[in-house]
Amino acid sequence: MKKFLFVSLLLSCFTLLASCNPPEAYEHLSTSAETDSQIPTDAPTEVPTEIPTEIHTEAPTETPTEEDTTVNIIYETVQNPIHDGGGDPWVVEKDGKYYYCYSIGNGVSVAEVSSIHQLVMRGRRVYAAPSGTAYSSEYWAPELHYINGEWYIYVAADDGDNYHHRMYVLKGTTQNPLDPFEMVGQITDPSNKWAIDGTVMELDGELYFIWSGWEGNVNVAQNIYIAHMSDPCTIDSERVCLSIPDRSWEQHGEPHVNEGPAVLQHDGKTFLVYSASGSWTDQYCLGMLTLTGDNPMDPQSWEKSSRSVFKKVSKVAYGPGHCSFSTACDGSIWMIYHANLVSGSGWSGRSVWIAPVTFEEDGSPNFGRPTREVQFPVDIKP
């Protein structure tokens, strides 16, 4: 009997403690790393007239705290290539959404993807060229840009004859880049020479168009040119040549090639990363121009890398080049590029790869080397 009375008294004490401490107090104890001395002391001291028989576990209805909304990042092992097909990849991020822009036949498609490492070519076709025009065929390396509150796509096209390739501008009809785009027309400097791989650089409130083109009307070499823009659809200056393929690592394959310029800006510094050598060769690689002066229209304001900054790794990746840059959920910068798994497979073997970009003490980017595995940051929603 004494043993029974003792157990009953002990159970009554536990019940009294439960009634004197609301569920919020238990939540505090179970989720906080604080010590016992920090437990709130303002719990009620009177025994309620009704002793609760259940402890409710519903989520609190209060506004989520900062801890509740914290982004949780984990790092997943991601295999390269991230997409088996496709060349000249272009990925842009806006308002937490990623858009993959790519050519398809005589037009352009855009896919919304949840992350850089999950590219798919199942987007919406946002533009299809009419037949019988100067821009009806061979859509190459489209780039999607958001400039001055509007969406634009810059793409090379021709009438079926590569010698007639020129750069064209498409403009979005809404704020959603998955909606249709309309042809604005050709974008060119007064020389109106062969042009592909156009991109836009925004610097100190000014716009600049940068592309790959021929000096004359003959396919001798592809150079990198720049011109000033008065608006997203118009060049208002003569072109200026920034780079010619004059280094040995830029001269694999003929004609010699500099192409695919992509702007990388970080901590107040501006870099122009471009592709060099023939894109059909294993030696296709990346070079870089660094803006060291004040005037981007002055070739003397740019310094060319003495060697390639990203190149093939035998038995891993061949012909890595033509890149774009985007930011992952943890703020890190990633390069999206194409490469080949098989030596000698040329244009038909291209696939899409990614690589992290880090920065040296002097602010210059380090692209590392192509690898089959990368540790990619992924946001795990709470």
Side-chain angles (χ1 to χ4, degrees), residues 90 199-202 210 261-265 270-273 302 323-325:
W90 181 264
T199 194
V200 175
M201 177 176 72
E202 298 186 58
I210 307 174
V263 178
L264 175 60
Q265 294 173 319
T270 297
F271 309 94
L272 189 62
V273 182
W302 297 88
C323 65
S324 60
F325 299 97

Side-chain angles (χ1 to χ4, degrees), residues 89 91 116 119 322-326 334-337 352-354:
V91 178
I116 298 169
L119 302 189
H322 204 122
C323 65
S324 60
F325 299 97
S326 192
W334 286 75
M335 179 171 70
I336 305 96
Y337 64 99
V352 182
W353 300 49
I354 56 175

Side-chain angles (χ1 to χ4, degrees), residues 111-124:
E112 182 180 322
V113 295
S114 59
S115 177
I116 298 169
H117 73 298
Q118 294 178 329
L119 302 189
V120 293
M121 294 181 71
R122 295 194 300 270
R124 295 184 186 177

Side-chain angles (χ1 to χ4, degrees), residues 193-377:
K193 302 297 184 183
W194 186 90
I196 64 168
D197 296 351
T199 194
V200 175
M201 177 176 72
E202 298 186 58
L203 183 65
D204 298 329
E206 300 293 325
L207 297 175
Y208 300 88
F209 197 63
I210 307 174
W211 72 98
S212 176
W214 297 347
E215 180 180 3
N217 297 318
V218 181
N219 189 9
V220 176
Q222 290 177 222
N223 306 323
I224 302 294
Y225 292 94
I226 187 173
H228 186 268
M229 305 172 74
S230 58
D231 60 61
C233 302
T234 309
I235 288 174
D236 65 352
S237 77
E238 301 285 340
R239 67 176 183 171
V240 173
C241 182
L242 294 183
S243 178
I244 63 174
D246 57 356
R247 310 290 172 88
S248 59
W249 48 271
E250 300 176 298
Q251 297 178 342
H252 295 278
E254 291 186 357
H256 298 159
V257 173
N258 279 181
E259 64 183 11
V263 178
L264 175 60
Q265 294 173 319
H266 183 262
D267 281 351
K269 296 182 178 293
T270 297
F271 309 94
L272 189 62
V273 182
Y274 65 94
S275 301
S277 286
S279 58
W280 57 93
T281 71
D282 288 352
Q283 288 74 31
Y284 199 52
C285 61
L286 295 177
M288 186 174 73
L289 301 176
T290 301
L291 183 61
T292 57
D294 298 327
N295 181 11
M297 291 286 291
D298 180 1
Q300 299 303 313
S301 291
W302 297 88
E303 180 180 341
K304 179 185 281 195
S305 58
S306 59
R307 54 187 176 83
S308 62
V309 295
F310 196 72
K311 62 182 181 179
K312 73 172 184 178
V313 175
S314 295
K315 299 182 180 180
V316 176
Y318 300 90
H322 204 122
C323 65
S324 60
F325 299 97
S326 192
T327 304
C329 59
D330 66 345
S332 58
I333 297 177
W334 286 75
M335 179 171 70
I336 305 96
Y337 64 99
H338 75 237
N340 294 13
L341 283 169
V342 179
S343 175
S345 54
W347 293 328
S348 64
R350 297 183 298 183
S351 52
V352 182
W353 300 49
I354 56 175
V357 180
T358 58
F359 292 87
E360 306 292 354
E361 290 185 1
D362 64 358
S364 61
N366 185 336
F367 306 103
R369 52 189 288 169
T371 59
R372 292 298 304 274
E373 289 186 352
V374 295
Q375 296 301 309
F376 190 83

